[in-house]
mmCIF file of all heavy atoms in Angstrom:
data_model
loop_
_atom_site.group_PDB
_atom_site.id
_atom_site.type_symbol
_atom_site.label_atom_id
_atom_site.label_comp_id
_atom_site.label_asym_id
_atom_site.label_seq_id
_atom_site.Cartn_x
_atom_site.Cartn_y
_atom_site.Cartn_z
ATOM 1 N N VAL A 57 93.392 87.764 132.210
ATOM 2 C CA VAL A 57 94.241 88.958 132.318
ATOM 3 C C VAL A 57 93.764 90.039 131.357
ATOM 4 O O VAL A 57 93.714 91.226 131.709
ATOM 5 C CB VAL A 57 95.718 88.597 132.055
ATOM 6 C CG1 VAL A 57 96.570 89.857 131.907
ATOM 7 C CG2 VAL A 57 96.261 87.741 133.190
ATOM 8 N N GLN A 58 93.387 89.656 130.141
ATOM 9 C CA GLN A 58 92.981 90.687 129.177
ATOM 10 C C GLN A 58 91.653 91.322 129.572
ATOM 11 O O GLN A 58 91.475 92.533 129.416
ATOM 12 C CB GLN A 58 92.937 90.117 127.757
ATOM 13 C CG GLN A 58 91.866 89.073 127.468
ATOM 14 C CD GLN A 58 90.568 89.654 126.964
ATOM 15 O OE1 GLN A 58 90.540 90.787 126.506
ATOM 16 N NE2 GLN A 58 89.489 88.885 127.062
ATOM 17 N N VAL A 59 90.715 90.548 130.118
ATOM 18 C CA VAL A 59 89.422 91.151 130.459
ATOM 19 C C VAL A 59 89.546 92.049 131.689
ATOM 20 O O VAL A 59 88.918 93.105 131.759
ATOM 21 C CB VAL A 59 88.333 90.071 130.653
ATOM 22 C CG1 VAL A 59 88.503 89.286 131.936
ATOM 23 C CG2 VAL A 59 86.950 90.707 130.602
ATOM 24 N N VAL A 60 90.399 91.678 132.653
ATOM 25 C CA VAL A 60 90.633 92.550 133.814
ATOM 26 C C VAL A 60 91.367 93.814 133.382
ATOM 27 O O VAL A 60 91.072 94.918 133.866
ATOM 28 C CB VAL A 60 91.411 91.796 134.912
ATOM 29 C CG1 VAL A 60 91.991 92.767 135.941
ATOM 30 C CG2 VAL A 60 90.490 90.800 135.614
ATOM 31 N N SER A 61 92.319 93.676 132.467
ATOM 32 C CA SER A 61 93.048 94.848 131.972
ATOM 33 C C SER A 61 92.102 95.837 131.308
ATOM 34 O O SER A 61 92.187 97.052 131.537
ATOM 35 C CB SER A 61 94.134 94.424 130.975
ATOM 36 O OG SER A 61 95.128 93.647 131.606
ATOM 37 N N LEU A 62 91.198 95.329 130.485
ATOM 38 C CA LEU A 62 90.242 96.225 129.826
ATOM 39 C C LEU A 62 89.349 96.918 130.845
ATOM 40 O O LEU A 62 89.026 98.098 130.705
ATOM 41 C CB LEU A 62 89.398 95.439 128.816
ATOM 42 C CG LEU A 62 90.137 94.982 127.549
ATOM 43 C CD1 LEU A 62 89.262 94.040 126.721
ATOM 44 C CD2 LEU A 62 90.576 96.174 126.704
ATOM 45 N N GLY A 63 88.946 96.196 131.895
ATOM 46 C CA GLY A 63 88.144 96.807 132.948
ATOM 47 C C GLY A 63 88.909 97.878 133.699
ATOM 48 O O GLY A 63 88.378 98.963 133.979
ATOM 49 N N ALA A 64 90.157 97.592 134.031
ATOM 50 C CA ALA A 64 90.979 98.569 134.748
ATOM 51 C C ALA A 64 91.229 99.808 133.886
ATOM 52 O O ALA A 64 91.191 100.944 134.378
ATOM 53 C CB ALA A 64 92.310 97.930 135.155
ATOM 54 N N LEU A 65 91.449 99.600 132.589
ATOM 55 C CA LEU A 65 91.665 100.730 131.684
ATOM 56 C C LEU A 65 90.396 101.563 131.525
ATOM 57 O O LEU A 65 90.469 102.789 131.407
ATOM 58 C CB LEU A 65 92.161 100.234 130.330
ATOM 59 C CG LEU A 65 93.599 99.694 130.313
ATOM 60 C CD1 LEU A 65 93.897 98.969 129.012
ATOM 61 C CD2 LEU A 65 94.609 100.820 130.546
ATOM 62 N N ARG A 66 89.222 100.904 131.533
ATOM 63 C CA ARG A 66 87.974 101.668 131.508
ATOM 64 C C ARG A 66 87.854 102.550 132.748
ATOM 65 O O ARG A 66 87.323 103.657 132.680
ATOM 66 C CB ARG A 66 86.770 100.721 131.416
ATOM 67 C CG ARG A 66 86.428 100.283 130.018
ATOM 68 C CD ARG A 66 85.056 99.658 129.931
ATOM 69 N NE ARG A 66 84.962 98.427 130.698
ATOM 70 C CZ ARG A 66 85.245 97.231 130.221
ATOM 71 N NH1 ARG A 66 85.646 97.090 128.972
ATOM 72 N NH2 ARG A 66 85.128 96.163 130.977
ATOM 73 N N GLY A 67 88.327 102.048 133.888
ATOM 74 C CA GLY A 67 88.319 102.851 135.099
ATOM 75 C C GLY A 67 89.149 104.111 134.964
ATOM 76 O O GLY A 67 88.873 105.126 135.611
ATOM 77 N N LEU A 68 90.165 104.056 134.110
ATOM 78 C CA LEU A 68 91.002 105.231 133.826
ATOM 79 C C LEU A 68 90.431 106.065 132.676
ATOM 80 O O LEU A 68 91.038 107.060 132.282
ATOM 81 C CB LEU A 68 92.417 104.787 133.441
ATOM 82 C CG LEU A 68 93.250 104.077 134.513
ATOM 83 C CD1 LEU A 68 94.571 103.607 133.911
ATOM 84 C CD2 LEU A 68 93.501 104.985 135.711
ATOM 85 N N ALA A 69 89.282 105.638 132.132
ATOM 86 C CA ALA A 69 88.671 106.269 130.950
ATOM 87 C C ALA A 69 89.588 106.151 129.734
ATOM 88 O O ALA A 69 89.588 107.008 128.851
ATOM 89 C CB ALA A 69 88.311 107.726 131.221
ATOM 90 N N ASP A 70 90.356 105.067 129.672
ATOM 91 C CA ASP A 70 91.249 104.813 128.546
ATOM 92 C C ASP A 70 90.625 103.700 127.705
ATOM 93 O O ASP A 70 90.663 102.529 128.083
ATOM 94 C CB ASP A 70 92.629 104.389 129.053
ATOM 95 C CG ASP A 70 93.591 104.084 127.914
ATOM 96 O OD1 ASP A 70 93.837 104.985 127.090
ATOM 97 O OD2 ASP A 70 94.094 102.949 127.847
ATOM 98 N N VAL A 71 90.038 104.048 126.567
ATOM 99 C CA VAL A 71 89.299 103.058 125.789
ATOM 100 C C VAL A 71 89.671 103.024 124.306
ATOM 101 O O VAL A 71 89.543 101.976 123.668
ATOM 102 C CB VAL A 71 87.772 103.300 125.919
ATOM 103 C CG1 VAL A 71 87.277 102.916 127.301
ATOM 104 C CG2 VAL A 71 87.403 104.741 125.599
ATOM 105 N N LYS A 72 90.130 104.129 123.741
ATOM 106 C CA LYS A 72 90.305 104.182 122.289
ATOM 107 C C LYS A 72 91.493 103.357 121.803
ATOM 108 O O LYS A 72 91.367 102.545 120.880
ATOM 109 C CB LYS A 72 90.434 105.637 121.836
ATOM 110 C CG LYS A 72 89.149 106.432 122.038
ATOM 111 C CD LYS A 72 89.306 107.881 121.597
ATOM 112 C CE LYS A 72 88.009 108.660 121.854
ATOM 113 N NZ LYS A 72 88.141 110.098 121.507
ATOM 114 N N ILE A 73 92.654 103.540 122.419
ATOM 115 C CA ILE A 73 93.821 102.757 122.012
ATOM 116 C C ILE A 73 93.628 101.272 122.317
ATOM 117 O O ILE A 73 93.946 100.419 121.470
ATOM 118 C CB ILE A 73 95.108 103.328 122.652
ATOM 119 C CG1 ILE A 73 95.448 104.665 121.986
ATOM 120 C CG2 ILE A 73 96.262 102.336 122.521
ATOM 121 C CD1 ILE A 73 96.672 105.355 122.553
ATOM 122 N N PRO A 74 93.091 100.901 123.498
ATOM 123 C CA PRO A 74 92.791 99.479 123.721
ATOM 124 C C PRO A 74 91.865 98.888 122.658
ATOM 125 O O PRO A 74 92.015 97.726 122.278
ATOM 126 C CB PRO A 74 92.142 99.466 125.103
ATOM 127 C CG PRO A 74 92.763 100.620 125.811
ATOM 128 C CD PRO A 74 92.917 101.673 124.745
ATOM 129 N N THR A 75 90.929 99.683 122.170
ATOM 130 C CA THR A 75 90.032 99.202 121.114
ATOM 131 C C THR A 75 90.811 98.901 119.837
ATOM 132 O O THR A 75 90.617 97.853 119.207
ATOM 133 C CB THR A 75 88.942 100.249 120.817
ATOM 134 O OG1 THR A 75 88.175 100.469 122.007
ATOM 135 C CG2 THR A 75 88.023 99.778 119.705
ATOM 136 N N ALA A 76 91.707 99.794 119.459
ATOM 137 C CA ALA A 76 92.525 99.580 118.259
ATOM 138 C C ALA A 76 93.430 98.358 118.421
ATOM 139 O O ALA A 76 93.581 97.548 117.498
ATOM 140 C CB ALA A 76 93.359 100.825 117.968
ATOM 141 N N LEU A 77 94.019 98.198 119.606
ATOM 142 C CA LEU A 77 94.895 97.056 119.855
ATOM 143 C C LEU A 77 94.115 95.742 119.818
ATOM 144 O O LEU A 77 94.617 94.722 119.334
ATOM 145 C CB LEU A 77 95.585 97.217 121.214
ATOM 146 C CG LEU A 77 96.584 98.382 121.309
ATOM 147 C CD1 LEU A 77 97.066 98.554 122.743
ATOM 148 C CD2 LEU A 77 97.767 98.161 120.371
ATOM 149 N N THR A 78 92.880 95.770 120.322
ATOM 150 C CA THR A 78 92.038 94.571 120.285
ATOM 151 C C THR A 78 91.738 94.172 118.846
ATOM 152 O O THR A 78 91.799 92.987 118.485
ATOM 153 C CB THR A 78 90.713 94.833 121.041
ATOM 154 O OG1 THR A 78 91.000 95.172 122.396
ATOM 155 C CG2 THR A 78 89.822 93.607 121.021
ATOM 156 N N PHE A 79 91.447 95.161 118.000
ATOM 157 C CA PHE A 79 91.177 94.872 116.592
ATOM 158 C C PHE A 79 92.384 94.213 115.924
ATOM 159 O O PHE A 79 92.255 93.205 115.216
ATOM 160 C CB PHE A 79 90.814 96.164 115.860
ATOM 161 C CG PHE A 79 90.688 95.993 114.371
ATOM 162 C CD1 PHE A 79 89.535 95.441 113.826
ATOM 163 C CD2 PHE A 79 91.726 96.359 113.520
ATOM 164 C CE1 PHE A 79 89.415 95.262 112.453
ATOM 165 C CE2 PHE A 79 91.619 96.175 112.152
ATOM 166 C CZ PHE A 79 90.461 95.628 111.615
ATOM 167 N N ILE A 80 93.549 94.770 116.165
ATOM 168 C CA ILE A 80 94.765 94.235 115.529
ATOM 169 C C ILE A 80 95.022 92.800 115.977
ATOM 170 O O ILE A 80 95.307 91.906 115.166
ATOM 171 C CB ILE A 80 95.977 95.132 115.849
ATOM 172 C CG1 ILE A 80 95.810 96.501 115.166
ATOM 173 C CG2 ILE A 80 97.270 94.470 115.394
ATOM 174 C CD1 ILE A 80 96.822 97.537 115.615
ATOM 175 N N ALA A 81 94.914 92.548 117.289
ATOM 176 C CA ALA A 81 95.238 91.225 117.820
ATOM 177 C C ALA A 81 94.319 90.149 117.265
ATOM 178 O O ALA A 81 94.777 89.048 116.906
ATOM 179 C CB ALA A 81 95.158 91.251 119.347
ATOM 180 N N TYR A 82 93.023 90.454 117.172
ATOM 181 C CA TYR A 82 92.080 89.430 116.743
ATOM 182 C C TYR A 82 91.925 89.341 115.225
ATOM 183 O O TYR A 82 91.975 88.258 114.645
ATOM 184 C CB TYR A 82 90.710 89.682 117.380
ATOM 185 C CG TYR A 82 90.677 89.376 118.852
ATOM 186 C CD1 TYR A 82 90.450 90.381 119.785
ATOM 187 C CD2 TYR A 82 90.896 88.088 119.321
ATOM 188 C CE1 TYR A 82 90.426 90.101 121.141
ATOM 189 C CE2 TYR A 82 90.874 87.804 120.676
ATOM 190 C CZ TYR A 82 90.634 88.812 121.584
ATOM 191 O OH TYR A 82 90.621 88.539 122.924
ATOM 192 N N TRP A 83 91.729 90.508 114.587
ATOM 193 C CA TRP A 83 91.349 90.493 113.177
ATOM 194 C C TRP A 83 92.536 90.539 112.223
ATOM 195 O O TRP A 83 92.421 90.098 111.072
ATOM 196 C CB TRP A 83 90.394 91.644 112.892
ATOM 197 C CG TRP A 83 89.063 91.387 113.523
ATOM 198 C CD1 TRP A 83 88.665 91.725 114.790
ATOM 199 C CD2 TRP A 83 87.967 90.675 112.948
ATOM 200 N NE1 TRP A 83 87.402 91.281 115.029
ATOM 201 C CE2 TRP A 83 86.930 90.635 113.922
ATOM 202 C CE3 TRP A 83 87.753 90.076 111.706
ATOM 203 C CZ2 TRP A 83 85.711 90.010 113.685
ATOM 204 C CZ3 TRP A 83 86.521 89.463 111.466
ATOM 205 C CH2 TRP A 83 85.528 89.433 112.450
ATOM 206 N N VAL A 84 93.660 91.056 112.677
ATOM 207 C CA VAL A 84 94.847 91.086 111.818
ATOM 208 C C VAL A 84 95.724 89.859 112.063
ATOM 209 O O VAL A 84 96.347 89.335 111.133
ATOM 210 C CB VAL A 84 95.657 92.384 112.057
ATOM 211 C CG1 VAL A 84 96.928 92.390 111.219
ATOM 212 C CG2 VAL A 84 94.805 93.601 111.722
ATOM 213 N N LEU A 85 95.728 89.363 113.304
ATOM 214 C CA LEU A 85 96.604 88.235 113.642
ATOM 215 C C LEU A 85 95.841 86.927 113.876
ATOM 216 O O LEU A 85 96.087 85.933 113.204
ATOM 217 C CB LEU A 85 97.432 88.588 114.884
ATOM 218 C CG LEU A 85 98.384 89.784 114.741
ATOM 219 C CD1 LEU A 85 99.047 90.099 116.068
ATOM 220 C CD2 LEU A 85 99.435 89.512 113.670
ATOM 221 N N ALA A 86 94.911 86.919 114.850
ATOM 222 C CA ALA A 86 94.319 85.660 115.295
ATOM 223 C C ALA A 86 93.485 84.961 114.223
ATOM 224 O O ALA A 86 93.667 83.765 113.959
ATOM 225 C CB ALA A 86 93.471 85.901 116.550
ATOM 226 N N LEU A 87 92.554 85.692 113.603
ATOM 227 C CA LEU A 87 91.656 85.046 112.636
ATOM 228 C C LEU A 87 92.368 84.577 111.362
ATOM 229 O O LEU A 87 92.145 83.438 110.920
ATOM 230 C CB LEU A 87 90.495 85.972 112.298
ATOM 231 C CG LEU A 87 89.406 86.056 113.379
ATOM 232 C CD1 LEU A 87 88.342 87.065 112.973
ATOM 233 C CD2 LEU A 87 88.771 84.699 113.626
ATOM 234 N N PRO A 88 93.234 85.417 110.755
ATOM 235 C CA PRO A 88 93.962 84.900 109.589
ATOM 236 C C PRO A 88 94.810 83.670 109.931
ATOM 237 O O PRO A 88 94.868 82.716 109.144
ATOM 238 C CB PRO A 88 94.846 86.084 109.168
ATOM 239 C CG PRO A 88 94.096 87.286 109.645
ATOM 240 C CD PRO A 88 93.482 86.866 110.948
ATOM 241 N N LEU A 89 95.438 83.694 111.124
ATOM 242 C CA LEU A 89 96.234 82.536 111.527
ATOM 243 C C LEU A 89 95.335 81.320 111.755
ATOM 244 O O LEU A 89 95.678 80.195 111.363
ATOM 245 C CB LEU A 89 97.005 82.863 112.799
ATOM 246 C CG LEU A 89 97.930 81.752 113.339
ATOM 247 C CD1 LEU A 89 98.964 81.366 112.284
ATOM 248 C CD2 LEU A 89 98.624 82.211 114.618
ATOM 249 N N GLY A 90 94.171 81.545 112.383
ATOM 250 C CA GLY A 90 93.239 80.451 112.599
ATOM 251 C C GLY A 90 92.755 79.849 111.286
ATOM 252 O O GLY A 90 92.621 78.624 111.154
ATOM 253 N N TYR A 91 92.491 80.706 110.294
ATOM 254 C CA TYR A 91 92.075 80.213 108.980
ATOM 255 C C TYR A 91 93.197 79.390 108.341
ATOM 256 O O TYR A 91 92.950 78.305 107.787
ATOM 257 C CB TYR A 91 91.707 81.385 108.070
ATOM 258 C CG TYR A 91 91.332 80.954 106.673
ATOM 259 C CD1 TYR A 91 90.046 80.495 106.400
ATOM 260 C CD2 TYR A 91 92.272 80.982 105.636
ATOM 261 C CE1 TYR A 91 89.698 80.075 105.119
ATOM 262 C CE2 TYR A 91 91.933 80.558 104.361
ATOM 263 C CZ TYR A 91 90.644 80.115 104.106
ATOM 264 O OH TYR A 91 90.313 79.685 102.839
ATOM 265 N N TYR A 92 94.409 79.905 108.434
ATOM 266 C CA TYR A 92 95.555 79.193 107.839
ATOM 267 C C TYR A 92 95.735 77.812 108.478
ATOM 268 O O TYR A 92 95.881 76.799 107.781
ATOM 269 C CB TYR A 92 96.822 80.024 108.006
ATOM 270 C CG TYR A 92 98.076 79.318 107.532
ATOM 271 C CD1 TYR A 92 98.372 79.229 106.170
ATOM 272 C CD2 TYR A 92 98.958 78.733 108.442
ATOM 273 C CE1 TYR A 92 99.505 78.571 105.729
ATOM 274 C CE2 TYR A 92 100.091 78.075 108.015
ATOM 275 C CZ TYR A 92 100.371 77.995 106.654
ATOM 276 O OH TYR A 92 101.495 77.336 106.228
ATOM 277 N N LEU A 93 95.696 77.786 109.819
ATOM 278 C CA LEU A 93 95.899 76.510 110.509
ATOM 279 C C LEU A 93 94.712 75.569 110.282
ATOM 280 O O LEU A 93 94.901 74.362 110.098
ATOM 281 C CB LEU A 93 96.079 76.757 112.014
ATOM 282 C CG LEU A 93 97.345 77.511 112.436
ATOM 283 C CD1 LEU A 93 97.314 77.801 113.929
ATOM 284 C CD2 LEU A 93 98.596 76.710 112.080
ATOM 285 N N GLY A 94 93.499 76.138 110.308
ATOM 286 C CA GLY A 94 92.323 75.291 110.210
ATOM 287 C C GLY A 94 92.097 74.701 108.837
ATOM 288 O O GLY A 94 91.708 73.530 108.713
ATOM 289 N N PHE A 95 92.389 75.490 107.771
ATOM 290 C CA PHE A 95 92.034 75.056 106.430
ATOM 291 C C PHE A 95 93.245 74.775 105.543
ATOM 292 O O PHE A 95 93.267 73.770 104.845
ATOM 293 C CB PHE A 95 91.117 76.093 105.777
ATOM 294 C CG PHE A 95 89.791 76.215 106.493
ATOM 295 C CD1 PHE A 95 89.605 77.155 107.495
ATOM 296 C CD2 PHE A 95 88.751 75.366 106.181
ATOM 297 C CE1 PHE A 95 88.396 77.261 108.161
ATOM 298 C CE2 PHE A 95 87.529 75.460 106.834
ATOM 299 C CZ PHE A 95 87.356 76.408 107.840
ATOM 300 N N LYS A 96 94.232 75.632 105.576
ATOM 301 C CA LYS A 96 95.424 75.379 104.756
ATOM 302 C C LYS A 96 96.264 74.241 105.325
ATOM 303 O O LYS A 96 96.797 73.419 104.585
ATOM 304 C CB LYS A 96 96.269 76.659 104.649
ATOM 305 C CG LYS A 96 95.539 77.832 104.001
ATOM 306 C CD LYS A 96 95.101 77.514 102.578
ATOM 307 C CE LYS A 96 94.418 78.719 101.931
ATOM 308 N NZ LYS A 96 93.961 78.409 100.559
ATOM 309 N N MET A 97 96.392 74.222 106.663
ATOM 310 C CA MET A 97 97.139 73.142 107.323
ATOM 311 C C MET A 97 96.226 71.968 107.687
ATOM 312 O O MET A 97 96.681 70.994 108.285
ATOM 313 C CB MET A 97 97.818 73.675 108.591
ATOM 314 C CG MET A 97 98.832 74.779 108.328
ATOM 315 S SD MET A 97 100.211 74.234 107.289
ATOM 316 C CE MET A 97 101.025 73.068 108.383
#
């Protein structure tokens, strides 16, 4: 769903906000949580 959404948004020439949202989801949420679960837990 996320890769199709990014493709559809590119078709609308909408790329900047999706880029910022991608950064937040992975680097602010996913990786710190993965580190916590993988090493602290």
Side-chain angles (χ1 to χ4, degrees):
V57 169
Q58 67 91 18
V59 73
V60 164
S61 295
L62 289 172
L65 289 168
R66 276 195 296 271
L68 295 175
D70 179 59
V71 288
K72 293 179 182 177
I73 289 178
T75 299
L77 293 173
T78 300
F79 173 79
I80 293 170
Y82 288 116
W83 289 89
V84 177
L85 298 175
L87 283 177
L89 182 58
Y91 177 82
Y92 175 78
L93 293 174
F95 295 93
K96 299 300 182 181
M97 298 298 293

